[in-house]
Amino acid sequence: MVQAYILIQTEVGKATAVAESIAKIEGVLQAEDVTGPYDVIVRAEAGTVDDLGRLVVAQIQQVEGITRTLTCPVVHI
């Protein structure tokens, strides 16, 4: 399994709704609204890097209120 943190910027006032919507998506382990330069941080997992990319592009980025995402894969060195 491949896991990643997805850092999300949202429209003003949309962070809670975005986090709640994303939390319902299969493959999302956790979605929290936070303070700082990003509004929501998501931890997700998928079978492959390609599956993770599809999860981000086809499902997470389609949630209304998102303006930008940054995907940070977890590495085990």
Side-chain angles (χ1 to χ4, degrees), residues 19-69:
E20 289 173 354
S21 294
I22 291 173
K24 298 174 186 173
I25 296 173
E26 184 176 345
V28 171
L29 304 176
Q30 190 172 16
E32 300 281 350
D33 47 325
V34 298
T35 61
Y38 293 94
D39 303 304
V40 177
I41 297 179
V42 173
R43 184 164 179 140
E45 72 177 1
T48 68
V49 171
D50 289 340
D51 290 340
L52 181 64
R54 282 189 281 278
L55 172 66
V56 172
V57 173
Q59 296 184 56
I60 292 174
Q61 288 182 346
Q62 301 307 311
V63 172
E64 186 177 340
I66 292 177
T67 59
R68 184 179 185 132
T69 65

Side-chain angles (χ1 to χ4, degrees), residues 73-77:
V74 174
V75 296
H76 301 282
I77 299 175

